[in-house]
Amino acid sequence: MKKAFNTVLNFGVGDWQSSHDNRRIKAANLLNLVIIFFLLVGFSNFFILGSEYAFGPVLLFLSLSILSLYFSKLRKNQLAFSLFTINANLSIFFINEYYPIEVGAYLYYFPILVSVVLLVNPSFKDKFSVLHFSICVLFIVANFVVDVPSWRVKNLSPQTAHILWLYDLIISLSITGLIGFMLTRLIL
């Protein structure tokens, strides 16, 4: 299992690239794996929501993470990194539109902000750092401005909303801690 994990983690990494580029590629691969893992964990929401669970969008986000890893394996790293950035932000945007604010889906911005801080090059001369950061800011602002009632889950009781809030709190803190720990290890 560890060998498979390290193989996927090193998709797209090469000696011809700078250490920062290799770190960014590994970090994006790691974050895609984290997204895949937690999307799979998120399927447990089906037991809370039943038929209201959004299988289609979750399968789309899962597929985009796998596609990003595939692009990385093909060494199309810029495409893989851009797809990761869009997918992560689009999935958080959808979650925030799908659930009412009482569920706490906004908590998923903490892991994305941790990834922005740890993933991008601190130099704003790096166009991909600026792109990643700009996409994150754009989606955060869009969540405050855009409201798509047709996406919103229907008939959510206050008890279910509270259970989902606790669930989102635990998962977002777990993701933030895991990303912070693993990316810090990767950086060092």
Side-chain angles (χ1 to χ4, degrees):
M1 182 80 158
K2 186 176 182 179
K3 184 178 178 182
F5 175 79
N6 283 327
T7 299
V8 173
L9 194 64
N10 286 300
F11 281 173
V13 172
D15 294 338
W16 65 91
Q17 298 170 129
S18 72
S19 61
H20 172 71
D21 287 339
N22 281 332
R23 180 177 57 85
R24 180 180 18 214
I25 293 165
K26 282 184 173 183
N29 291 342
L30 172 68
L31 291 168
N32 275 310
L33 289 171
V34 168
I35 288 171
I36 290 168
F37 175 76
F38 281 102
L39 282 173
L40 292 173
V41 168
F43 277 120
S44 64
N45 270 345
F46 173 75
F47 299 106
I48 298 170
L49 294 174
S51 63
E52 292 280 337
Y53 185 68
F55 275 109
V58 172
L59 288 175
L60 172 68
F61 303 137
L62 188 63
S63 300
L64 290 174
S65 289
I66 292 168
L67 184 61
S68 180
L69 286 171
Y70 180 69
F71 286 145
S72 191
K73 180 178 170 114
L74 296 176
R75 296 194 170 149
K76 297 181 185 259
N77 298 324
Q78 296 170 353
L79 182 59
F81 184 68
S82 298
L83 183 58
F84 157 75
T85 301
I86 292 168
N87 184 39
N89 283 283
L90 187 60
S91 62
I92 293 172
F93 176 81
F94 176 78
I95 290 168
N96 276 286
E97 289 298 318
Y98 187 71
Y99 292 111
I101 196 160
E102 299 82 24
V103 169
Y106 53 83
L107 295 168
Y108 290 106
Y109 282 118
F110 293 116
I112 197 73
L113 293 174
V114 168
S115 72
V116 167
V117 170
L118 295 174
L119 186 59
V120 299
N121 187 344
S123 164
F124 275 96
K125 295 177 184 173
D126 180 7
K127 65 182 174 180
F128 291 104
S129 296
V130 173
L131 174 69
H132 183 78
F133 182 75
S134 298
I135 290 172
C136 291
V137 169
L138 176 74
F139 273 95
I140 289 170
V141 169
N143 260 136
F144 289 112
V145 175
V146 176
D147 185 27
V148 188
S150 63
W151 288 4
R152 189 112 20 227
V153 66
K154 313 288 187 270
N155 304 322
L156 196 64
S157 72
Q159 294 86 3
T160 303
H162 182 69
I163 290 169
L164 288 171
W165 184 85
L166 290 171
Y167 183 87
D168 286 341
L169 177 66
I170 291 167
I171 296 294
S172 68
L173 288 174
S174 299
I175 293 171
T176 303
L178 181 65
I179 288 172
F181 172 75
M182 296 189 82
L183 287 178
T184 302
R185 274 191 72 191
L186 208 116
I187 290 169
L188 298 175

